[in-house]
Amino acid sequence: MTLNCLKNRFLVLFFSIFSLSVIAQDQAAIESGKTLFKNNCASCHNKDMKSKLTGPALGGVEERWADYPQEDLYTWIRNSQSMISQGHPRATELWNEWKPTVMNSFPTLSDEDVANILAYINCTYEGNCPGQVQVAADQGVPGQSKGEQESNSLVYVFLLAILALLAIILARIISNLNYMAVMREKGEAPERKTLVEILTSKGVISFAIFAAVVIGGFITVNNAINLGRQQGYEPDQPIKFSHVTHAGVHKIDCNYCHDGARRSKHSVIPAANTCMNCHKAIKVGSQYGTGELTKIYASVGYDPNTDKYIEDYESMSEEDIKRIYTKWIADTYITDKGSLDSEGEELIENQWNGIVSSLTNEEAGDTKIQGPIEWVRIHNMPDHVYFNHAQHVSVGKVECQTCHGKVEEMEVVKQYSPLSMGWCINCHRQTEVKFADNKYYDNYYEMYHEQIKNNKRDKVTVEDIGGTECQKCHY
Ligand code: HEC
Ligand code: HEC
Ligand code: HEC
Ligand code: HEC
Ligand code: HEC
Ligand code: HEC
């Protein structure tokens, strides 16, 4: 036994740790690929990697480029137009199929970036991405794939197995060391415990129970937290609504749509009627054409062919609805391209399928196209917390961006702040109350005014007026 044997065990240990870190690295690469894909490619390439959107499905793309050196695919992604003009065979083939749609250039992507994007494309296509950060396990979140959750629990099981292995190895090492110590001391071999005896010993069993409780607790708490909210949470929405387009480029005031923020506890998501104020006139978008805007019409029952709301829309069958909106998509296509070809037929079918999948939710039992757009909620506070928008926006004069980040620069809104108790309280400790011209504060003002005048205090924070008292925030 002895050194050699110990060395072997340490090797096993070393490799377990090594393989863990390899997995972690892969996961980081794929996470980064996912983010790059979302930010740069997802507007044109379907993120299921299997169906077409504005551009082709990307699943299996490396095989289609296998006849050429690897740099060719990388160059294509950075600057596809240059390859088309050089007459590269695959580039020409793609162009003939997809022209006149041009893919953007991405000259700033590094080799590593491209490799990460391709890794993400591959594993998504094959459905074997390593565990990803789990997002809300809310019912009926569109785009939430079961696969993500399953691979997540696989990782847990795998980690558990490795931990168990480590525990056994360590136990053996300790027992061997004891054995050797006794040997040396007494000069004779003591009775050795068998593996089974060790595994069923009190110490090991209580450790196992302890570990199960800790891990079980961790997973439960983790899932419970994820259920409600998560910083950076950025779900797919039924319509590709862009705050960049609306609040950024066209400078529409946040309050135009989120009118509640100034006046009430909730800020509310605008109803489709608010969208219709503008989209009665803007019927074909520059980015998705009829692809996204038609979803608004199908939800409220507006017929863009005739510019009228449809009577008895509520009771209309899916067939009739389909006829109205596919006619609109077809007519727009013909106006644009001159005639309806097979490409157009396919586009109509794709856009119609998009409308159905965005406005219905089979899992939640909603099979009707009619009815409100089901936006996925991003911010979600537990029921026991009281938060009031008007209090912060109108009385406290806090900018939306302080809590939500630069929403006008977000193509897809994400949760910017942690929304934790510490976050609320920190701000209340640091932020000074704005007394000037504020009726709400008249009572406090009298009291503090004296103190400030007498130099007893130089500022009044939200904490001073009771902003860290439990019952202010908790029901
Ligand atoms: C503006 C829309 C658009 C964006 C954004 C876009 N693509 Fe494309 N992509 C296309 C179109 C369209 C084609 C088909 C060829 C053409 O018409 O240029 C294409 C083709 C491709 C192909 C070739 C597929 C094949 O089967 O050989 C790859 C690879 C690709 N894109 C990767 C990417 C990556 C990676 C990104 C993000 C970094 C990206 N694309 C962003 C529109 C886009
Ligand atoms: C043209 C209407 C419109 C304007 C203008 C607009 N929003 Fe929105 N906002 C929406 C819609 C629709 C959603 C739901 C879809 C989504 O999350 O993108 C939303 C979602 C949000 C959310 C996430 C809500 C959740 O689910 O928790 C925040 C935060 C938000 N908006 C903040 C802002 C801020 C800040 C501004 C101004 C800079 C702004 N919005 C301007 C329409 C608008
Ligand atoms: C105050 C006017 C206004 C309101 C209200 C408004 N939009 Fe828009 N929307 C615009 C403008 C302007 C554009 C840019 C059109 C373009 O680029 O072709 C646009 C573009 C869009 C696009 C992209 C279309 C494309 O294919 O490029 C979508 C999707 C969209 N809006 C959805 C909505 C939704 C959903 C609502 C309601 C929550 C809404 N809009 C409310 C003015 C508005
Ligand atoms: C002091 C921080 C803070 C400020 C300022 C703030 N919000 Fe919020 N916002 C939150 C929190 C916290 C939530 C989650 C509330 C919940 O889940 O009940 C939220 C939720 C939302 C939602 C989701 C719907 C809802 O009401 O729950 C929208 C939309 C939104 N905010 C828009 C805005 C807009 C627009 C402004 C500016 C006019 C703004 N917020 C200012 C903290 C803030
Ligand atoms: C960006 C800073 C900021 C953040 C973050 C913030 N608040 Fe506030 N809060 C304020 C300001 C400023 C006031 C003062 C307005 C007032 O007195 O009503 C205030 C007041 C309040 C009040 C009323 C206090 C009183 O004594 O009347 C409550 C309740 C409250 N906040 C709850 C919350 C909760 C819950 C959160 C976290 C989800 C939160 N706030 C996060 C800045 C913040
Ligand atoms: C400024 C607002 C605010 C004040 C004041 C406040 N809380 Fe909270 N508290 C919150 C928010 C927000 C959460 C939800 C945090 C989350 O979901 O992670 C929370 C969560 C909790 C929870 C549940 C644990 C958890 O993480 O979900 C307990 C218990 C709690 N608070 C106790 C207290 C006690 C006791 C006080 C008084 C000393 C207090 N809170 C004061 C905002 C506040």
Side-chain angles (χ1 to χ4, degrees):
M1 133 106 250
T2 61
L3 268 186
N4 234 342
C5 189
L6 272 182
K7 206 172 85 192
N8 282 344
R9 285 184 182 158
F10 275 116
L11 274 182
V12 173
L13 195 112
F14 175 75
F15 280 114
S16 320
I17 291 173
F18 180 72
S19 62
L20 261 185
S21 73
V22 167
I23 288 181
Q25 258 175 25
D26 275 3
Q27 198 164 328
I30 283 170
E31 277 300 321
S32 133
K34 180 180 180 179
T35 312
L36 288 166
F37 183 87
K38 265 195 170 168
N39 294 342
N40 300 303
C41 326
S43 53
C44 298
H45 293 289
N46 201 323
K47 71 173 183 29
D48 68 5
M49 308 301 169
K50 290 183 180 129
S51 31
K52 297 177 179 179
L53 212 64
T54 313
L58 291 183
V61 61
E62 277 173 308
E63 275 151 43
R64 292 193 288 281
W65 287 77
D67 291 346
Y68 315 103
Q70 197 195 29
E71 304 101 82
D72 288 13
L73 175 54
Y74 281 51
T75 311
W76 166 272
I77 291 172
R78 290 201 192 98
N79 189 350
S80 59
Q81 285 295 306
S82 78
M83 291 196 93
I84 294 168
S85 57
Q86 282 163 19
H88 186 283
R90 174 70 193 151
T92 315
E93 190 183 352
L94 277 165
W95 178 244
N96 287 336
E97 191 181 337
W98 289 87
K99 72 188 165 192
T101 316
V102 176
M103 171 163 148
N104 297 356
S105 296
F106 301 95
T108 54
L109 291 180
S110 69
D111 280 351
E112 198 188 343
D113 290 342
V114 175
N116 290 349
I117 295 175
L118 290 172
Y120 171 67
I121 291 173
N122 285 339
C123 77
T124 310
Y125 183 59
E126 281 155 18
N128 58 3
C129 295
Q132 292 159 345
V133 184
Q134 194 172 335
V135 289
D138 220 345
Q139 357 85 324
V141 176
Q144 162 82 15
S145 68
K146 277 246 163 56
E148 257 177 40
Q149 288 175 29
E150 270 158 21
S151 69
N152 223 359
S153 19
L154 265 183
V155 171
Y156 282 132
V157 170
F158 186 72
L159 285 178
L160 261 177
I162 287 188
L163 281 179
L165 190 72
L166 284 180
I168 293 177
I169 292 171
L170 282 175
R172 290 301 286 180
I173 291 174
I174 291 170
S175 129
N176 280 336
L177 286 175
N178 277 342
Y179 177 83
M180 287 193 299
V182 174
M183 271 281 269
R184 195 160 301 158
E185 224 167 81
K186 298 196 179 157
E188 64 184 54
E191 233 179 83
R192 293 200 65 179
K193 285 185 179 168
T194 64
L195 186 61
V196 176
E197 276 171 334
I198 294 175
L199 284 181
T200 52
S201 73
K202 236 191 198 163
V204 171
I205 288 180
S206 32
F207 177 76
I209 293 176
F210 172 74
V213 169
V214 169
I215 292 168
F218 172 76
I219 293 175
T220 320
V221 168
N222 210 19
N223 286 346
I225 289 176
N226 284 346
L227 235 171
R229 52 166 183 77
Q230 191 179 61
Q231 192 166 16
Y233 180 38
E234 188 187 1
D236 287 321
Q237 297 288 357
I239 297 184
K240 293 210 182 68
F241 175 84
S242 159
H243 279 80
V244 176
T245 305
H246 292 87
V249 178
H250 292 280
K251 304 226 164 1
I252 305 169
D253 185 10
C254 312
N255 290 308
Y256 183 90
C257 291
H258 301 294
D259 185 36
R262 260 180 314 188
R263 297 184 290 110
S264 65
K265 180 170 178 300
H266 285 294
S267 175
V268 297
I269 306 295
N273 286 333
T274 309
C275 316
M276 289 303 291
N277 290 342
C278 297
H279 287 291
K280 260 185 192 166
I282 306 168
K283 297 198 289 189
V284 181
S286 52
Q287 227 177 327
Y288 313 104
T290 46
E292 296 297 320
L293 293 175
T294 311
K295 293 176 182 170
I296 307 176
Y297 308 141
S299 104
V300 295
Y302 181 79
D303 184 350
N305 302 293
T306 60
D307 286 331
K308 289 203 178 76
Y309 283 94
I310 302 161
E311 272 174 48
D312 292 330
Y313 187 62
E314 258 309 291
S315 52
M316 209 174 238
S317 74
E318 189 171 319
E319 275 307 298
D320 291 337
I321 297 177
K322 179 171 180 180
R323 207 165 303 129
I324 294 170
Y325 294 108
T326 48
K327 174 177 186 318
W328 162 246
I329 299 168
D331 287 353
T332 312
Y333 187 86
I334 293 168
T335 314
D336 191 29
K337 301 266 167 95
S339 67
L340 195 58
D341 47 12
S342 63
E343 203 178 308
E345 306 269 2
E346 197 176 322
L347 179 126
I348 296 169
E349 200 53 35
N350 281 345
Q351 293 198 354
W352 172 250
N353 289 340
I355 292 171
V356 174
S357 71
S358 296
L359 296 179
T360 60
N361 183 347
E362 297 250 343
E363 275 168 57
D366 171 15
T367 51
K368 273 181 92 162
I369 290 173
Q370 302 97 317
I373 302 161
E374 302 272 348
W375 302 105
V376 181
R377 240 195 112 120
I378 300 161
H379 297 78
N380 242 325
M381 275 233 292
D383 284 343
H384 57 80
V385 182
Y386 175 81
F387 177 82
N388 186 321
H389 265 97
Q391 177 119 47
H392 288 87
V393 175
S394 296
V395 183
K397 309 233 179 299
V398 185
E399 296 280 335
C400 314
Q401 284 80 355
T402 311
C403 298
H404 293 299
K406 291 190 177 144
V407 175
E408 65 279 10
E409 292 175 7
M410 298 179 194
E411 205 56 64
V412 179
V413 187
K414 63 174 158 199
Q415 184 178 319
Y416 170 82
S417 299
L419 305 199
S420 64
M421 178 159 142
W423 172 72
C424 314
I425 289 194
N426 264 346
C427 184
H428 287 183
R429 290 214 171 110
Q430 285 161 8
T431 309
E432 285 182 49
V433 178
K434 300 202 172 58
F435 281 115
D437 319 318
N438 204 330
K439 284 221 174 59
Y440 185 84
Y441 294 119
D442 278 355
N443 295 339
Y444 291 114
Y445 191 70
E446 301 264 308
M447 181 169 98
Y448 287 122
H449 194 64
E450 279 301 298
Q451 298 183 1
I452 290 176
K453 216 165 63 185
N454 302 337
N455 283 336
K456 281 211 185 105
R457 63 164 62 234
D458 53 2
K459 62 176 189 179
V460 181
T461 62
V462 182
E463 181 175 26
D464 294 325
I465 62 166
T468 54
E469 286 162 17
C470 315
Q471 77 280 9
K472 285 273 168 70
C473 302
H474 291 294
Y475 292 109

